[in-house]
Amino acid sequence: TEDKSRVEFVYHIDEGPRYNIRNIEFHGNNIFSEDELRQHLQFHEGEAFSGRKIGMSVQKIQDDYGELG
């Protein structure tokens, strides 16, 4: 008899090439300095690209601008 109370999943993941962040530039930042904006970054130049870290960083910067109205 087969045990129907258990399920097994097998995932085959084919990861593509890793991309590293070469440089980070800010344009049009008239309110906050580049140093102030960089404090919110969850990533640094030379690190592997992470969409999650970039998303969190963008959200923090948007929050700062949003607080100004």
Side-chain angles (χ1 to χ4, degrees):
T1 64
E2 241 181 79
D3 182 6
K4 296 187 186 245
S5 66
R6 299 185 66 182
V7 176
E8 180 178 325
F9 292 98
V10 177
Y11 293 96
H12 297 280
I13 299 172
D14 182 18
E15 293 186 14
R18 293 193 71 157
Y19 293 96
N20 290 333
I21 298 169
R22 182 179 304 168
N23 65 331
I24 302 165
E25 296 180 4
F26 295 96
H27 297 276
N29 48 312
N30 299 322
I31 296 174
F32 296 106
S33 70
E34 184 168 330
D35 288 338
E36 289 173 309
L37 295 174
R38 283 183 181 273
Q39 289 178 8
H40 294 298
L41 300 182
Q42 304 292 312
F43 57 92
H44 303 286
E45 294 168 345
E47 286 186 11
F49 175 85
S50 167
R52 182 181 59 80
K53 287 183 178 181
I54 289 176
M56 291 185 331
S57 301
V58 167
Q59 184 62 54
K60 287 183 177 198
I61 291 171
Q62 287 175 336
D63 290 347
D64 272 3
Y65 276 99
E67 288 179 12
L68 298 176

